[in-house]
Amino acid sequence: MSGKRYYITTPIYYVNARPHIGTALTTLAADVTARYKKMRGLDVTFLTGTDENAPKVAEAAEKAGQAPQQFVDEVAQEFQTIWQGLGIRYDDFIRTTEERHKRVVAEVFRRLQAKGDIYTDDYEGWYCVSCETFWRASEVEEGLCPNPECRRAVSWVTETNHFFRLSAYADRIKDYILANPNFIRPESRRNEVLRFIESGLRDACITRANSGWGVPVPGDESKVVYVWFDALINYLSATGWPDAWNESNPSDLWPPDVQWMGKDILVRFHATLWPAMLMGLGLPLPQVLVGHGWMMIGGEKISKSKGNTVEPVQLARELADRAGCSQELAVDAVRHYMAREMPFAADALFTMESFDTRYNTELANDLGNAVHRSVSMTHRYLDGQVPDAETDPTFVEAAMERVREYEQAMDAFLLDKGVEAAFGLVSQLNRYIDEMAPWSLAKNGDIVALRAVMRTMLESCRVIAALCEPVMPSAAAHIRSQIGHSNPAGWEETQRFDLLKPGTKLPEPRPAFPRLQTKEPAPSPEAPPKPAIPEISIDDFAKVELRVADIVTCEKVEGSDKLLKMTVRVGDEERSLVAGIAEAYDPTDLVGKQIVIVANLKPAKVRGVLSQGMLLAADGEKGPVLLAPSAPTPSGARVH
């Protein structure tokens, strides 16, 4: 319909615990999507909220010694505070204890009941309070919840309840999924849903005995609405249905354009129960359901019950203290890590080592270096002013390919690939600086070429800022301020390389992401002295041939997490090399770089790959750091 707003939702979160980095993953994904769509000029509404009517929430309140409403009020406020601290900019925050939601739940129940989709019958079977899930007897063994992430004791429930005729919608849901291949993303999750439907959908028990907490069933105060049936309706409640819109007066929000969620709540609820409810109401289904993977720690899903939580805002505070960057930029570093590691199909593993490595290599080294060099050299060679010059068309053409990759990834909700494309442009800029060597152009007095190169560098920083905007808004603003460009990011920013005003005076360069430094512990008085480094003679050293080499190709060695195989050019000769640096360097970032190698080392096979030399690397605090010439050097040049 004309004037349709782009509607993005997250699942609503149980308020029995504070949000952690696993919970925040979905909310960040929705926030990044919302910011990207706004860049594209869309009118976006982003909804998130809290699920407060579950029995386990009432149990958590009792353990805390509080009344349920007081408990959920406090925890819901914590969610809002943490989301704001993480830079999440939602448009609506819905709580299932709000009257606007309760009214819609009652109306949905009445309409489906009147249609004959809800009936009353006796229920006898297993129920898991922790998962809020009913289980078939065949699924439960030894009285434990079959969910591998739960495995708590289940309860045998025998009571008269209301049921929703989910089975009646099985064929319609399956046909819809088959006719709309992009309805469920990723494809592996779509296939999982189809298998679940083919195994047989059974009617859903949608009420529980009223224990004093929950939404009462219309016309039957002895029951409350089952929490999952209740919770899914929140997406509809936030639109003002049915009072604000109907078939003759369509909503400018409905249907949702994308609903983000973790994979664990996709199959049984969002991809089967939810579509059936909407079909029963005669309402359009969401455009896309994205069921992403989990963030794991030590091979396990992050959860409070396992004691392995990482709180994202606290992680940012600690990073700000360790690195010396601002809190806002530290938050962006956390957002960058989460989006860069976004588990779309598979799960992702969180470690502090990988977090620090991402920060140092991609933010401090790559992004920070590209921007700092561009601004510093503008001050050094052009009196700190944006030059009036044309940009390099060859570079711009290659840069626009990165922009197209970014656009395709973000439109497909592949956030990690979007970040990868943006940082592909960062790497491209760093290579361009090395290849064009502005310092040499300045030294040789080639002012025309120097101005063109510097203009290309500064415009590239501006485009990079725009691509970073959805994930790292504070960092994007910092980059724009460094290049004298105050305009807010829009999609136009990524399409042109001529938006900086010539003559603009740039501020003094100010690094955004200081490199993390790891302090070595002071030696214990009882510790034995470190062994002396063995001495060699100058004749021994003269036997080692060190040469400058250009990396031509680079890829991972199949079956190894640590090894990279590369082709390097040493003068007129090309040779293969194997190095254990895969955990510190992305292969695509190394192509085009110069390194120093031991050129006369006896060849050897490593994992079946011939290695004709050895590259030089220092032991950095978080892994190997390649040694390279400080300025472009002829391939094959001897290192003394």
Side-chain angles (χ1 to χ4, degrees), residues 99-156:
E99 287 303 316
R100 63 168 171 163
H101 175 69
K102 291 179 180 179
R103 285 196 303 270
V104 176
V105 171
E107 183 62 22
V108 167
F109 196 98
R110 280 191 289 265
R111 292 194 182 200
L112 293 177
Q113 190 175 46
K115 188 182 177 186
D117 279 346
I118 292 177
Y119 63 93
T120 304
D121 202 352
D122 293 332
Y123 176 79
E124 187 174 66
W126 295 109
Y127 182 73
C128 176
V129 173
S130 180
C131 292
E132 306 288 1
T133 303
F134 294 97
W135 298 99
R136 294 185 176 102
S138 60
E139 295 175 307
V140 175
E141 296 181 0
E142 300 178 356
L144 299 177
C145 176
N147 179 357
E149 296 299 317
C150 177
R151 301 301 291 163
R152 292 178 175 82
V154 292
S155 304
W156 185 262

Side-chain angles (χ1 to χ4, degrees), residues 171-367:
D171 290 341
R172 283 183 63 184
I173 297 170
K174 180 180 177 181
D175 290 345
Y176 186 88
I177 293 172
L178 292 174
N180 296 273
N182 289 323
F183 174 52
I184 298 171
R185 306 288 309 276
E187 186 178 359
S188 59
R189 225 78 75 202
R190 174 177 178 268
N191 294 336
E192 187 181 348
V193 172
L194 288 170
R195 289 194 298 270
F196 180 71
I197 295 172
E198 290 164 0
S199 71
L201 294 184
R202 58 177 180 164
D203 291 352
C205 181
I206 59 168
T207 60
R208 297 296 316 280
N210 190 344
S211 61
W213 187 249
V215 179
V217 171
D220 184 2
E221 293 289 326
S222 69
K223 306 292 182 186
V224 292
V225 178
Y226 170 50
V227 64
W228 265 110
F229 192 86
D230 159 12
L232 290 166
I233 296 169
N234 90 88
Y235 310 123
L236 193 56
S237 303
T239 70
W241 182 89
D243 301 328
W245 59 279
N246 50 47
E247 284 187 22
S248 60
N249 179 33
S251 168
D252 64 348
L253 270 181
W254 199 265
D257 292 271
V258 58
Q259 297 199 271
W260 279 96
M261 69 207 68
K263 63 180 182 179
D264 50 329
I265 59 173
L266 174 71
V267 178
R268 286 180 176 270
F269 304 114
H270 283 85
T272 47
L273 178 59
W274 178 225
M277 292 164 62
L278 292 173
M279 288 175 175
L281 293 169
L283 297 176
L285 271 56
Q287 295 294 319
V288 179
L289 304 176
V290 182
H292 64 76
W294 291 333
M295 187 72 79
M296 313 278 280
I297 289 181
E300 294 186 309
K301 182 186 177 186
I302 299 173
S303 71
K304 182 181 178 182
S305 62
K306 293 176 180 176
N308 63 349
T309 60
V310 175
E311 294 188 5
V313 178
Q314 181 60 30
L315 180 63
R317 289 195 193 101
E318 293 170 357
L319 175 64
D321 289 341
R322 293 190 296 134
C325 60
S326 69
Q327 175 68 16
E328 292 77 14
L329 290 171
V331 165
D332 272 11
V334 173
R335 289 171 60 100
H336 169 76
Y337 177 85
M338 293 169 66
R340 188 72 168 86
E341 299 287 335
M342 183 70 199
F344 192 70
D347 296 327
L349 181 65
F350 174 86
T351 67
M352 282 304 302
E353 290 76 16
S354 65
F355 175 74
D356 286 355
T357 297
R358 285 277 184 216
Y359 175 86
N360 268 343
T361 57
E362 295 184 348
L363 299 184
N365 288 2
D366 294 348
L367 179 61

Side-chain angles (χ1 to χ4, degrees), residues 418-560:
V419 176
E420 184 178 318
F423 276 74
L425 180 54
V426 173
S427 297
Q428 181 181 322
L429 174 55
N430 277 318
R431 289 195 298 271
Y432 180 77
I433 296 171
D434 292 339
E435 291 166 2
M436 302 310 293
W439 49 89
S440 296
L441 297 175
K443 182 179 179 180
N444 297 332
D446 193 346
I447 192 64
V448 174
L450 175 64
R451 287 178 174 273
V453 169
M454 294 303 304
R455 178 66 184 237
T456 302
M457 290 161 56
L458 293 172
E459 292 283 359
S460 299
C461 289
R462 180 187 52 73
V463 174
I464 287 167
L467 298 183
C468 287
E469 179 78 23
V471 176
M472 298 192 295
S474 295
H478 171 86
I479 295 170
R480 288 196 299 271
S481 71
Q482 286 282 277
I483 58 174
H485 186 68
S486 59
N487 293 344
W491 191 243
E492 181 190 30
E493 296 280 296
T494 68
Q495 305 299 300
R496 295 174 57 182
F497 273 72
D498 60 353
L499 294 181
L500 295 180
K501 184 179 179 181
T504 300
K505 183 74 173 180
L506 305 189
E508 289 297 321
R510 181 169 53 90
F513 298 105
R515 186 175 172 82
L516 279 170
Q517 300 296 331
T518 302
K519 294 181 180 179
E520 294 188 8
S524 166
E526 293 80 19
K530 291 183 179 180
I533 300 174
E535 293 181 345
I536 62 172
S537 69
I538 189 65
D539 293 332
D540 293 327
F541 179 74
K543 296 176 183 177
V544 182
E545 281 286 334
L546 300 179
R547 301 280 181 173
V548 173
D550 295 322
I551 300 177
V552 180
T553 67
C554 187
E555 60 183 325
K556 285 191 174 183
V557 172
E558 187 174 352
S560 173

